[in-house]
Amino acid sequence: MKSIISLLSSLAFICSFFALTGCEKAKQPEKTQTQADLVIYSGITMVKPLKVLADEFERLHQIKIHIVQGASGYLYHTLRSQKTGDIYFPGTETYRIEHAEDNILLDRVLVGFNRLSFVVQQGNPKSLNSDIRQLLNPNISVVLASPDSSAVGKATKTALEDANICMKVFENVTYFTTDSHRLFKSLENGHADITMNWYASTVWKENANKVDAIILHDHLQQKRRLELNLLRFSKNPELAKKFMAYASSKHGLKTFADYGFLLPDELATLIKTTE
């Protein structure tokens, strides 16, 4: 059964990856990229609080913001090849570090953190726990995000490497998918018993009544900085900086905290830096 699901899902993954541009267009706001005053490339997981702040900023300044959402790695390769956009908002700071030689990402502001957790079906029917070695169990269906397509996939791979079980777990994976959203789908459709996903997304109202999060040990959480990055080829760099300042203000930070990207102590610490 696992091999059949793996084959079908792998085919679906390939199709969905190369059709990703079309999929993301279906999710775009009504404002087109050519009409927008600001274009923001954002990882899927952070779109909710970003959209709240973008809507507010539009009303305050009578402008239009276009959000392009997708897997962080795919978005980076897109903006690098097209040399378009004003702000890049990936699910981890590693994209800045790994691609420093590109000199594309300029100013940045910190607005929160991503951290990994195990995610299981609501009620935890398989009685799973926080032991990362349970991912080696062939009787458990494990679905993970691809490390080549998304921030959550990259963080997952690092956590598994730190535990010295990466390749063995990959051999036991039912299938790889593209991003955080599709990890939830794998639980919803019964393909997965367990995934590794960002903790913040498990507290959202559309997911909270469908899944349970299992908190990982601190050294496995792969806590990642969430930073808005000014793009070198921005057509409106001053306006982009204003939005970045708004997103990292006390109000902006509280908005990200509401969506699980800042814990109370983290929020208090960052707010102090804005005062």
Side-chain angles (χ1 to χ4, degrees), residues 35-181:
Q35 294 172 329
D37 298 289
L38 285 179
V39 176
I40 303 174
Y41 287 86
S42 174
I44 291 174
T45 307
M46 300 83 68
V47 165
K48 290 180 181 294
L50 179 65
K51 183 66 167 60
V52 170
L53 295 172
D55 288 346
E56 294 173 353
F57 195 79
E58 284 182 325
R59 292 191 294 269
L60 284 171
H61 297 276
Q62 297 300 300
I63 65 161
K64 295 180 179 180
I65 297 176
H66 181 73
I67 298 174
V68 182
Q69 58 177 300
S72 297
Y74 179 84
L75 291 178
Y76 184 82
H77 293 300
T78 298
L79 65 88
R80 181 174 62 180
S81 63
Q82 296 181 357
K83 293 181 173 57
T84 184
D86 300 286
I87 295 171
Y88 175 52
F89 187 29
T92 169
E93 75 276 20
T94 57
Y95 289 101
R96 168 184 282 274
I97 297 168
E98 293 176 359
H99 300 286
E101 70 280 0
D102 293 341
N103 195 31
I104 288 175
L105 309 180
L106 305 181
D107 299 3
R108 66 186 187 272
V109 294
L110 175 67
V111 295
F113 299 96
N114 261 332
R115 69 196 82 227
L116 285 175
S117 69
F118 284 142
V119 186
V120 299
Q121 296 171 17
Q122 188 178 41
N124 193 8
K126 292 292 182 76
S127 300
L128 302 173
N129 55 45
S130 60
D131 183 1
I132 199 166
R133 294 190 66 82
Q134 69 193 339
L135 300 182
L136 298 170
N137 187 340
N139 297 316
I140 294 174
S141 179
V142 180
V143 175
L144 300 178
S146 168
D148 298 321
S149 68
S150 65
V152 67
K154 289 170 70 72
T156 296
K157 181 181 179 184
T158 301
L160 296 174
E161 287 174 339
D162 288 350
N164 296 314
I165 57 172
C166 185
M167 295 314 299
K168 290 182 179 179
V169 170
F170 281 6
E171 291 171 0
N172 190 48
V173 166
T174 301
Y175 62 84
F176 290 92
T177 189
T178 54
D179 52 54
S180 176
H181 173 72

Side-chain angles (χ1 to χ4, degrees), residues 4-30:
I4 295 174
I5 293 176
S6 179
L7 176 61
L8 293 174
S9 301
S10 296
L11 291 172
F13 170 77
I14 293 170
C15 292
S16 65
F17 186 82
F18 287 103
L20 191 54
T21 303
C23 294
E24 296 306 330
K25 285 181 179 177
K27 299 178 184 178
Q28 304 294 0
E30 292 181 359

